[in-house]
Amino acid sequence: MTRGRDDASVRLVELKVATQSHAGQAVMAVFGEIDLYTAPRLQAEFTRLLETGPDRVVIDMSGVEFCDSTGMNVLLSALKRLRERGGTLEVAAPRPAVRKILQVTGLDSVFTVHDTVPADLLTAEHQG
């Protein structure tokens, strides 16, 4: 039987998203891989979050191991929607592989990229 080989090809990677909002600001922490298979989940989370009306969204990418062009398109779409109403989308703590994608594509000049989640947001999370 070749059953073992078929089992090995099943995707076990999932995307986890945790969001905390406070005073018109939100931090969305993402864990896993963002690709063609998981991007719809991230898009759905952004849609839900943006309905609550934050002006500033910081996506904590410290838990993202991989992000392909599909994932970058989700981020760009969210940025566009936020900018249309005067808001911002910022990227925080990207791992080296994700940072390289941002640099190669020039998106590091489109997004504000932080080495860590901004301290003012961490403080707001603990107050909320």
Side-chain angles (χ1 to χ4, degrees):
M1 260 199 227
T2 60
R3 182 177 169 163
R5 181 178 177 155
D6 291 338
D7 289 344
S9 67
V10 173
R11 283 186 57 86
L12 298 176
V13 176
E14 67 177 278
L15 187 70
K16 295 182 181 174
V17 181
T19 305
Q20 293 189 343
S21 299
H22 177 77
Q25 302 185 90
V27 175
M28 178 183 285
V30 182
F31 305 91
E33 296 183 2
I34 308 171
D35 58 19
L36 180 65
Y37 300 100
T38 61
R41 165 119 162 83
L42 183 60
Q43 181 70 53
E45 289 293 327
F46 269 122
T47 298
R48 184 194 60 72
L49 175 62
L50 296 181
E51 287 173 356
T52 67
D55 296 322
R56 180 184 184 199
V57 176
V58 175
I59 180 164
D60 177 355
M61 297 189 75
S62 61
V64 176
E65 299 155 16
F66 174 80
C67 183
D68 70 6
S69 61
T70 313
M72 290 297 165
N73 283 331
V74 170
L75 297 180
L76 284 168
S77 174
L79 174 65
K80 180 181 177 200
R81 290 178 59 195
L82 278 159
R83 281 188 175 167
E84 285 172 354
R85 62 180 196 220
T88 62
L89 175 69
E90 302 166 28
V91 175
R95 290 184 178 186
V98 174
R99 186 178 291 272
K100 183 170 184 172
I101 291 168
L102 290 167
Q103 291 169 341
V104 169
T105 60
L107 291 175
D108 60 337
S109 64
V110 175
F111 295 104
T112 299
V113 180
H114 303 282
D115 290 335
T116 60
V117 175
D120 61 319
L121 291 175
L122 293 174
T123 302
E125 285 180 20
H126 295 298
Q127 292 172 358

